[in-house]
Amino acid sequence: MAIRQLPPNLINRIAAGEVVERPASVVKELVENAIDAGAARIDVTVTGGGLSLIRVADDGAGMAAEDLALAVERHATSKLAGDNLSHILSLGFRGEALPSIGAVARLAITSRAENAKDAHTIAVDGGRKAPLKPAARAGGTDVEVRDLFYATPARLKFMKSERAEAAAISDAVKRLALAHPEIAFSLSTGERTTLRLEACPPGLLDHALARLGRIMGAEFVQDALPVSAERGTMRVEGFAGLPTLHRPNGMQLYLVVNGRPVRDKLLAGTVRAAYGDLVPRGRYPMLALFLDVPPEEVDVNVHPAKTELRFRDANAMRSLLIGAIREALSAAGHRATESLSQEALQRMAPPSVGSSAQAPVPSYRSHTRPRDVGFAERSQAPLAEVSVPSADMRGAATEEETATDFPLGAARAQVQDTFIIAETDDALVIVDQHAAHERLVYERLKRAFANGGIARQMLLIPEVVELDADAAQALLAASDALERLGLVIETFGPSAIAVREVPGLLGTCDVKGLLAELASTLLEAEDGEAGRLLAERLDYVLSTMACHGSVRAGRRLSPEEMNALLRGMEETPFSGQCNHGRPTYVELKLTDIDKLFDRR
C-alpha cells in the first residue's frame, strides 16, 4: 500500500486515543483549561459515568468569538507565548484536547470574554465543525460533551461500569481541587452534588488542611504532620500522614508539582523510600505534598496525559523530599494514629439490642498450668491487682510508677505476658511489648552503626547453629561484613556455624532464627557480592537483628522494666510502629471507655 497523508478528522481521532482515554481524561483536560483561564469557581456535572454528559462551567477569562473559533482547531493554544517548551507555566499547552474531544463526541462550547458585549457558542459533532452562533451567558465558559465515543464505537467496549467511570472522574476532580485550594469546586452526578468545596484563603499550611480533610477524610486531618523544606530553588510544603495511617493502594498519595497533580513513579517511589519500614509491606501512606520547582528544571512534556515528569536534577529532588518527610515523621516521636483507638473501641462495643451477632468466644493460648485471664502473677515486685491502684498503693509506689503525666503514662499491669497496660491522666495505654522493644533496639542499632560501629559482647559458650551447607557457606562468605554489624561467626563443620560474639544491644537473642533469616537473604547474592548485598540492605539486616534480639511475647517484665520500656518509647523516634509497620500501642481515652459503660 502506498503512503498517504491522513485526513484531519482521522488524525484527530487517532490523537484522541492518547488524550481522551476515558471520561475522567475529558474532565481533567476541561478543568485544567478552566484553571488556566483564571477561574475562581469551577462546576462539573456528569451523567452516565461521563459517557452521556460532561459539563464544565467556570467564571474565568472566557474567549472572544475569533478565539473560540480557533480553540477547536488542532494545535491552537493561547498558553505558549513563544516556541520555548522549557518554561511552561500553565497546565495545558499542546492545543490537542478540544479538537480530540470533538472528534469522538458531540462538543459544544459557550464563552464570553471579559468586558465583551456578547457570548458566542460553537459546536463540533464527530469532527464536523459548525459555524459560530450568538449565545447568552455571563463571563466565563461552559463546555458540554455529550455521547462520548459515539464516533468511535469500538472504544465504548473498553469502558468500565458507570460507577467505576464516575469514581475515576471524582478522583480527577479531587486531585485538581487539592492542587488548587484557592478555587471553589463542585461535582454533581445527575441530580446529586457529591462534592462541594469552597475556596480556601491563601496559606497552604495554615488553611489548606480543611480542604484536605474533605478530600482525604477526617482521620487524615487528625494524623497529618506538617512538612516544609527547601533546597536551592526547590521547595516542598504539605502534610504527611503518620506511618500507622496507611491504605492498601497508592490512591491517597497526592503529589502536586507546580500546581499540576501527578502520578509520577519517581516521586511515588521517593515517598515510599522516605517512609521505609515504618509502613507495612504492601501498604501505602497517606500524604499531600506540593513541590515548587523552577519551570526550566522540570519537563512536563514526556507523557500524553502530563501526569509523569522528568526532573533535571532528580537526585536533589529525591533528597529534598526524603529529608522533609523523615524530619516530619521523626518530630512526631512515638505518636500513633488516633483511628487505632476508635477501631479498638468499636470492636469492644457490645452488640446493639436485637442484634443477631453473638458475643465472641475468648480464645486463649495454651499454658502448662491454669491461669487467670488478666494480670500476671509476678516473682518480682508485684503490680497492683487492679488497673487503678488505691490511694495507699499509690503512696507506696515509686515516683516513676505513678507518673501518669508522662505521654505514655505509668505501667499498671502486664496481660498474658505480652501487653503492658499503662495509665495516663486521661487515657489507658495498651503496649505490645515485643513490637515496641523491637523498634527501640532497631533505632539503637542504626545509631550505633552510624556512629562508628556496633559494640559486641562475647558469648561465654559459643552457640553452635546447624544449617544446610549452602546457608552456612553464604554466612561464612559474608563473615567480615557481619563482624562490622556486631556478629562474629566461624565454621564448625560442613553445615554448622559457631557464633562467638553478638551485638551488645541484643543481649540474649534468638541466634538460630537470626542466622537462618540472614542466610536466606545472603543466598540471593552473586559470588563475591555478599558484602555489597548486606550494605544495600543494611536497614533490613539491622531490623532482622532487632526482631530476634528484642523482648518476646510471653516474657514477664518487672514494673521497672515496663516503665523503662515506656520511657524509651517516648524518647525514640518512630516508636509508634514496629520495624514491620505494625502499631506498637493503642491509646483509649477514658471518656471513650466511659461511653462503653453508658456512663456518659
Side-chain angles (χ1 to χ4, degrees), residues 322-344:
I322 291 178
I325 294 172
R326 295 291 286 190
E327 183 179 354
L329 297 177
S330 179
H334 67 276
R335 185 177 159 194
T337 178
E338 293 187 17
S339 62
L340 291 173
S341 60
Q342 294 303 315
E343 182 180 348

Side-chain angles (χ1 to χ4, degrees), residues 19-309:
V19 179
V20 188
E21 179 185 357
R22 59 192 306 189
S25 307
V26 175
V27 172
K28 171 185 172 294
E29 296 291 343
L30 298 183
V31 172
E32 286 183 349
N33 282 345
I35 293 171
D36 286 340
R41 181 171 194 86
I42 301 172
D43 299 307
V44 181
T45 304
V46 298
T47 60
L51 293 171
S52 300
L53 169 68
I54 296 173
R55 182 185 296 116
V56 177
D58 69 70
D59 59 357
M63 290 178 281
E66 57 273 17
D67 287 338
L68 182 57
L70 196 57
V72 294
E73 297 293 339
R74 189 162 170 77
H75 299 310
T77 182
S78 62
K79 301 170 186 179
L80 288 177
D83 299 331
N84 187 4
L85 287 178
S86 64
H87 193 80
I88 295 173
L89 301 175
S90 57
L91 297 178
F93 56 88
R94 294 178 182 150
E96 289 183 315
L98 292 178
S100 296
I101 295 168
V104 295
R106 307 184 202 277
L107 172 68
I109 307 174
T110 303
S111 187
R112 180 176 176 178
E114 290 178 310
N115 303 320
K117 293 182 179 180
D118 301 305
H120 291 82
T121 185
I122 191 169
V124 182
D125 189 340
R128 296 182 296 274
K129 178 180 173 182
L132 276 174
K133 294 180 181 179
R137 196 206 191 278
T141 302
D142 287 337
V143 182
E144 191 173 279
V145 180
R146 293 184 179 274
D147 303 327
L148 184 61
F149 298 127
Y150 93 95
T152 53
R155 292 295 298 275
L156 288 172
K157 298 178 183 178
F158 295 93
M159 293 299 103
K160 297 182 179 179
S161 67
E162 180 178 320
R163 182 177 179 181
E165 296 300 341
I169 290 172
S170 178
D171 180 66
V173 173
K174 286 178 179 179
R175 289 183 181 275
L176 287 162
L178 183 143
H180 294 273
E182 74 283 359
I183 301 175
F185 282 84
S186 74
L187 172 62
S188 301
T189 54
E191 299 179 354
R192 189 166 65 96
T193 299
T194 58
L195 182 69
R196 188 179 297 278
L197 302 169
E198 297 305 321
C200 295
L204 178 64
L205 294 180
D206 296 328
H207 302 291
L209 190 56
R211 173 163 290 194
L212 295 182
R214 294 288 307 280
I215 294 173
M216 303 177 69
E219 61 181 339
F220 179 76
V221 175
Q222 294 174 338
D223 299 329
L225 306 172
V227 175
S228 182
E230 59 182 303
R231 175 171 297 181
T233 57
M234 295 189 296
R235 178 172 181 78
V236 62
E237 282 189 310
F239 295 90
L242 288 169
T244 42
L245 182 67
H246 44 71
R247 293 292 181 267
N249 55 49
M251 294 296 289
Q252 296 293 316
L253 291 178
Y254 289 91
L255 302 168
V256 180
V257 179
N258 293 350
R260 183 188 306 278
V262 297
R263 288 182 174 175
D264 186 78
K265 293 180 180 178
L266 174 63
L267 292 177
T270 298
V271 168
R272 288 284 296 165
Y275 276 84
D277 53 27
L278 301 179
V279 174
R281 184 173 298 179
R283 305 286 291 188
Y284 295 83
M286 295 177 66
L287 57 72
L289 294 182
F290 300 78
L291 187 63
D292 289 325
V293 184
E296 57 274 10
E297 294 293 323
V298 58
D299 186 358
V300 301
N301 194 29
V302 296
H303 189 272
K306 302 184 288 289
T307 56
E308 295 182 9
L309 309 173

Side-chain angles (χ1 to χ4, degrees), residues 318-570:
R318 180 180 170 87
S319 177
L320 171 66
L321 284 184
I322 291 178
I325 294 172
R326 295 291 286 190
E327 183 179 354
L329 297 177
S330 179
H334 67 276
R335 185 177 159 194
T337 178
E338 293 187 17
S339 62
L340 291 173
S341 60
Q342 294 303 315
E343 182 180 348
L345 288 166
Q346 288 172 6
R347 293 185 179 185
M348 289 191 294
S352 58
V353 177
S355 171
S356 60
Q358 296 181 352
V361 178
S363 175
Y364 310 122
R365 294 190 301 273
S366 61
H367 295 275
T368 55
R369 60 181 178 84
R371 58 184 298 166
D372 294 331
V373 178
F375 305 127
E377 299 174 3
R378 306 189 175 282
S379 57
Q380 303 99 334
L383 290 177
E385 295 188 6
V386 292
S387 60
V388 182
S390 66
D392 292 339
M393 291 177 179
R394 288 180 185 273
T398 66
E399 179 180 354
E400 185 176 13
E401 289 172 14
T402 59
T404 57
D405 55 343
F406 279 111
L408 293 178
R412 296 297 182 220
Q414 185 184 20
V415 178
Q416 295 288 307
D417 294 344
T418 300
F419 301 103
I420 297 170
I421 308 298
E423 178 193 11
T424 69
D425 289 336
D426 64 349
L428 197 68
V429 179
I430 305 173
V431 178
D432 182 331
Q433 65 188 40
H434 171 68
H437 193 240
E438 183 181 26
R439 169 59 67 178
L440 266 59
V441 173
Y442 177 43
E443 294 299 327
R444 290 169 185 165
L445 285 171
K446 287 198 295 184
R447 228 170 17 245
F449 187 82
N451 291 335
I454 297 174
R456 306 192 297 264
Q457 68 175 16
M458 183 177 293
L459 298 180
L460 186 62
I461 300 176
E463 185 163 346
V464 178
V465 179
E466 289 285 346
L467 300 164
D468 63 68
D470 289 339
Q473 289 303 314
L475 287 168
L476 290 171
S479 59
D480 291 342
L482 291 174
E483 185 172 344
R484 290 193 293 273
L485 296 173
L487 192 64
V488 177
I489 61 173
E490 60 184 36
T491 184
F492 196 83
S495 61
I497 296 291
V499 180
R500 295 196 171 276
E501 297 179 52
V502 297
L505 287 169
L506 300 188
T508 303
C509 67
D510 176 15
V511 174
K512 182 176 181 179
L514 174 60
L515 289 188
E517 196 157 342
L518 290 176
S520 66
T521 299
L522 290 169
L523 285 172
E524 300 175 17
E526 302 289 339
D527 291 341
E529 296 292 310
R532 181 189 60 79
L533 183 65
L534 283 179
E536 288 179 353
R537 300 189 183 181
L538 177 63
D539 284 349
Y540 172 77
V541 173
L542 294 179
S543 174
T544 301
M545 288 183 170
C547 182
H548 290 279
S550 56
V551 171
R552 313 301 295 184
R555 175 182 165 185
R556 294 187 180 180
L557 302 178
S558 69
E560 293 76 18
E561 288 174 322
M562 289 189 285
N563 279 306
L565 182 60
L566 296 176
R567 303 293 81 80
M569 291 175 65
E570 292 162 355

